[in-house]
Amino acid sequence: MAEEEELTGEHEMSFIDHLEELRWHILRALASIVVFAVGAFMAKTFVFHYMILGPSRPDFYTYRKLCDLGNYLGNKGLCIDKIPFTLQSREMSSQFTTHITVSLIIGLILAFPYAFWEIWRFIEPGLYPNERKNSRGAVFFVTILFITGVLFGYFIAAPLSINFLASYTVDPSILNEFDLSSYIGTLTRMTLACGIMFELPMIVFFLAKAGIASPELMRLYRRHAIVVILIIAALISPPDVLSMTIFALPLIGLYEVSILIAKGVQRSTLKRLNQQTD
């Protein structure tokens, strides 16, 4: 038996061997996050002035494009001339801890493709050949959806929410002076949440491959899904209708796309089964 395993190059790993392999995959994934986090920590001026504090200034890319759209449509109301709020750091260690936290979040976002690839390398050998074939390209599509969600959160959801909340007042005599942690919490929460929630099509793809999700089931529970999406949007986004709507609408669109994906998976599965019976 041992000679046969040597010839084929295959051997069955023990539970401890699996744990050891998983540990190294996780360590490499974490190391990649730390490397990017250190890079972000060292690039403090660029990260904070242009990236983190960008949505707090009227020259931010999204606001400029909105103004261009307003000029094209003849609606000057879309131009954002100022964002009426100031940021304050109320604790002595706030700026230092914020620097570390933001660096780790940026490290996680930048290292996500490699970190996910490391985890996938551990999972993939345990799949059956047909499962491995069906999941080909998983790392690519998961990465694309995550990056798309992060970009949507950073350039669309977060800036519009920040502008709305900064401009909203119950009385002109009340000044908006936000704590630094509150501002960064809103920005990072919406950005990361969009990145995660945009993975819905891939989740549905794997569920459909496993026979758990079907287009008929998803259509049947469409209204329930919309209610769940609205609840998630209310929990994750700032407490205002605009932010919740900005967050919920693309998720509802992704749910509809996921129905089409489940339908495509169902069609290909039925086609394969018919070929096997023939």
Side-chain angles (χ1 to χ4, degrees):
M1 186 69 180
E3 291 179 359
E4 184 180 345
E5 287 178 352
E6 271 185 35
L7 290 173
T8 58
E10 298 177 356
H11 65 280
E12 187 175 344
M13 296 175 65
S14 66
F15 178 71
I16 300 299
D17 292 334
H18 278 293
L19 285 180
E20 179 66 14
E21 186 178 357
L22 176 61
R23 183 173 74 91
W24 282 107
H25 283 295
I26 292 175
L27 285 176
R28 284 192 290 267
L30 292 176
S32 67
I33 295 173
V34 170
V35 168
F36 281 105
V38 170
F41 187 87
M42 296 175 66
K44 179 179 68 174
T45 301
F46 175 80
V47 166
F48 278 88
H49 184 75
Y50 294 102
M51 293 178 62
I52 301 301
L53 297 178
S56 69
R57 296 190 299 269
D59 62 348
F60 186 61
Y61 178 82
T62 302
Y63 305 144
R64 286 190 283 109
K65 290 303 175 182
L66 274 176
C67 192
D68 291 342
L69 178 62
N71 292 330
Y72 177 77
L73 298 175
N75 182 4
K76 297 294 184 180
L78 291 176
C79 288
I80 298 172
D81 299 323
K82 64 176 181 176
I83 304 177
F85 77 96
T86 58
L87 289 175
Q88 295 184 353
S89 178
R90 300 177 187 275
E91 298 180 7
M92 290 190 66
S93 61
S94 176
Q95 294 199 48
F96 179 69
T97 55
T98 298
H99 190 187
I100 294 175
T101 303
V102 168
S103 299
L104 288 173
I105 292 172
I106 292 176
L108 173 63
I109 293 173
L110 295 179
F112 178 83
Y114 177 79
F116 182 78
W117 178 69
E118 279 290 347
I119 303 302
W120 184 252
R121 284 177 60 201
F122 174 77
I123 296 173
E124 190 177 22
L127 301 176
Y128 291 108
N130 62 321
E131 293 174 336
R132 205 173 299 159
K133 181 181 178 182
N134 292 333
S135 60
R136 196 172 295 163
V139 175
F140 173 78
F141 288 110
V142 167
T143 300
I144 290 297
L145 288 172
F146 179 77
I147 292 174
T148 302
V150 166
L151 292 176
F152 175 84
Y154 179 73
F155 284 105
I156 305 296
L160 295 182
S161 298
I162 289 170
N163 176 62
F164 173 80
L165 294 174
S167 304
Y168 187 86
T169 57
V170 294
D171 188 87
S173 64
I174 302 175
L175 299 177
N176 282 330
E177 297 179 346
F178 303 137
D179 190 74
L180 179 63
S181 60
S182 175
Y183 168 82
I184 291 180
T186 299
L187 177 64
T188 57
R189 185 171 66 249
M190 294 200 72
T191 301
L192 284 177
C194 286
I196 294 170
M197 296 304 295
F198 268 54
E199 297 294 346
L200 179 62
M202 283 303 296
I203 294 172
V204 171
F205 173 79
F206 285 112
L207 290 177
K209 285 291 185 180
I212 299 173
S214 67
E216 295 80 13
L217 187 67
M218 294 182 70
R219 291 193 191 99
L220 179 63
Y221 288 99
R222 179 186 274 120
R223 293 181 180 179
H224 301 78
I226 291 174
V227 172
V228 171
I229 288 172
L230 291 175
I231 292 173
I232 293 173
L235 292 174
I236 294 176
S237 62
D240 64 274
V241 177
L242 177 63
S243 300
M244 187 177 75
T245 303
I246 292 171
F247 191 86
L249 282 179
L251 292 183
I252 294 173
L254 287 172
Y255 186 83
E256 296 299 324
V257 172
S258 299
I259 293 176
L260 297 178
I261 291 174
K263 186 177 180 180
V265 171
Q266 186 184 65
R267 190 185 297 117
S268 63
T269 302
L270 290 174
K271 183 178 178 181
R272 189 179 69 252
L273 290 175
N274 289 334
Q275 288 176 348
Q276 289 177 354
T277 54
D278 293 342

